[in-house]
Amino acid sequence: MVALVPAEQHGDERGAFLNFLKAQREAVVRASFGLTDEQAASRPSVSELSLSGLIKHVAEGELNWLRMAQQQPNELGPRDESNWHESFQLVGDETRAGTVAFMERVAKETEEFVRSVPSLDDTFPLPDRPWFPEDGRVSIRWMLLHLVEELGRHAGHADVIRESLDGKGSFDLIAEENATA
């Protein structure tokens, strides 16, 4: 029952980043292992966060950063005060399984993009938003570090939510996953 990120091939910095991103994505999804859609959408504390909502949020967030790096519009459209809450909850006919599939598509596209860019030192402009510096730019490497940071933060949220639902921690869930694999 090891929860260690696999080592990259020697000198494969891109592989290292992608392995850490994959591990954090898996941690967020794992927190909902064995739950019904209703359980995964529940909010066991005063927080607005749910497990299915976190899965959706991290997938949308990763897609947003990917589109910024690609300098392409985000096909999901912008989030603003009127719909920001929808990035943390399932709406309409969305399901946990569908959201996980969406996350997997985004992950695949992220990997293809990261493997294709000439250099992780390449930069892209940040949009004009109050929380970004004026005329700000970041590198692909910075973006990958930021995604690991954000996914890790939300994986921690997911752990707390799951433990609040039934007391199961990540090691319990790893053991359950391994038993069903």
Side-chain angles (χ1 to χ4, degrees):
M1 180 168 49
V2 177
L4 183 69
V5 175
E8 76 283 4
Q9 293 296 317
H10 181 71
D12 181 14
E13 181 182 21
R14 295 167 200 245
F17 282 124
L18 293 169
N19 284 347
F20 274 90
L21 282 172
K22 180 180 179 189
Q24 295 305 322
R25 282 188 213 102
E26 288 173 349
V28 172
V29 172
R30 181 182 305 114
S32 68
F33 180 78
L35 299 178
T36 65
D37 276 359
E38 183 179 79
Q39 291 168 315
S42 68
R43 299 183 328 229
S45 72
V46 296
S47 169
E48 292 291 319
L49 298 178
S50 70
L51 293 172
S52 55
L54 279 172
I55 295 167
K56 180 180 177 180
H57 176 70
V58 298
E60 282 193 11
E62 183 173 338
L63 179 63
N64 195 52
W65 278 102
L66 178 61
R67 293 297 182 253
M68 282 191 285
Q70 294 169 324
Q71 298 182 52
Q72 296 177 4
N74 186 334
E75 59 272 24
L76 297 180
R79 291 277 183 203
D80 59 29
E81 286 183 30
S82 71
N83 64 4
W84 179 252
H85 65 283
E86 291 179 2
S87 72
F88 286 96
Q89 63 189 34
L90 302 188
V91 295
D93 61 355
E94 293 177 329
T95 63
R96 178 201 160 281
T99 304
V100 171
F102 168 60
M103 175 190 271
E104 290 168 351
R105 288 190 303 274
V106 171
K108 183 176 188 250
E109 194 174 337
T110 297
E111 179 164 358
E112 290 169 356
F113 174 74
V114 168
R115 294 279 186 200
S116 73
V117 293
S119 171
L120 296 182
D121 293 326
D122 290 353
T123 64
F124 59 91
L126 295 172
D128 183 22
R129 301 282 189 278
W131 48 89
F132 291 137
E134 189 175 324
D135 299 321
R137 296 185 72 82
V138 295
S139 68
I140 303 299
R141 180 180 291 103
W142 183 95
M143 177 193 76
L144 291 168
L145 284 167
H146 180 66
L147 286 173
V148 169
E149 171 191 40
E150 283 296 305
L151 281 160
R153 176 177 293 144
H154 291 312
H157 293 141
D159 285 343
V160 170
I161 293 168
R162 179 57 186 257
E163 289 175 13
S164 297
L165 287 171
D166 63 8
K168 291 183 180 176
S170 61
F171 289 119
D172 301 312
L173 296 169
I174 289 170
E176 285 183 28
E177 272 186 324
N178 289 338
T180 61

